[in-house]
Amino acid sequence: MKKTLRSRKGGFTLIELMIVVAIIGILAAIAIPNFLRFQLKSKTSEGKVNLAAIRTAEESYLAEFGIYVAEAAQQPNAVPITTKQAWPNPAPVGFDTIGWAPEGNVYFVYSVNVQAGPPQQYTATADADLDGDGVLQGWAYAQAPAGGAPIAGVGVCAAPPVANQVGPCQATFGNSIF
């Protein structure tokens, strides 16, 4: 009896293909949450950068005119949403007075709460719903005199972070849920 050996023709077996699919699935399970977390962190940078710009504009206005300027929460929508929105045109009165406007569209709702003298101080806040879970995240800058406590903010950030620093209103803000 003669046995003929079959030679293997090109291609992959079902097992090999299933192993490749399983490896791709594992890599995706690791990569997608990391990508979403980095995406959320990049969106939070808008709020921090604009709060720093508001601080600079407020300090410049104080140096020239001797007062800080308040502004109610400003964005096209009263409630933050997950997509960028165009900044109002004409610009809000308070922000226009100090000469500040963001570049392009924004995720955040910005506001400034001022306590008239003495000592004059303010808290600038930025609120957004970046991850779309209905829970707002907030960032703030609380200007306070040496040894003084910062005044309350508006929006999510009723209790501002460390005085004279831009920071999150809660430790979890700027982190994704993944």
Side-chain angles (χ1 to χ4, degrees):
M1 238 198 243
K2 231 180 186 186
K3 290 187 179 179
T4 57
L5 295 175
R6 292 186 192 175
S7 64
R8 183 174 173 202
K9 295 181 181 177
F12 296 103
T13 66
L14 181 61
I15 298 292
E16 291 170 332
L17 290 175
M18 289 175 59
I19 290 172
V20 169
V21 168
I23 290 171
I24 291 172
I26 291 169
L27 291 174
I30 294 169
I32 290 172
N34 285 335
F35 172 74
L36 294 174
R37 184 173 28 258
F38 289 127
Q39 191 177 37
L40 181 64
K41 284 184 180 184
S42 71
K43 289 178 183 178
T44 62
S45 66
E46 174 208 309
K48 295 184 276 188
V49 167
N50 284 338
L51 284 176
I54 291 170
R55 174 188 54 90
T56 302
E58 286 283 359
E59 295 300 328
S60 297
Y61 194 83
L62 175 72
E64 190 169 344
F65 299 102
I67 60 169
Y68 291 120
V69 177
E71 182 59 70
Q74 290 297 329
Q75 190 192 31
N77 297 314
V79 177
I81 59 176
T82 57
T83 58
K84 283 190 165 192
Q85 298 295 310
W87 188 251
N89 188 12
V93 174
F95 289 134
D96 191 41
T97 301
I98 63 173
W100 178 81
E103 291 191 22
N105 298 339
V106 293
Y107 286 109
F108 286 83
V109 172
Y110 298 96
S111 59
V112 178
N113 188 19
V114 173
Q115 174 182 314
Q120 287 190 357
Q121 54 187 332
Y122 67 96
T123 300
T125 58
D127 299 325
D129 182 13
L130 298 173
D131 53 8
D133 63 358
V135 177
L136 296 181
Q137 296 188 9
W139 295 81
Y141 173 81
Q143 188 278 335
I151 62 170
V154 292
V156 171
C157 213
V162 179
N164 303 318
Q165 281 183 210
V166 173
C169 297
Q170 292 181 13
T172 58
F173 290 171
N175 298 316
S176 81
I177 59 173
F178 299 102

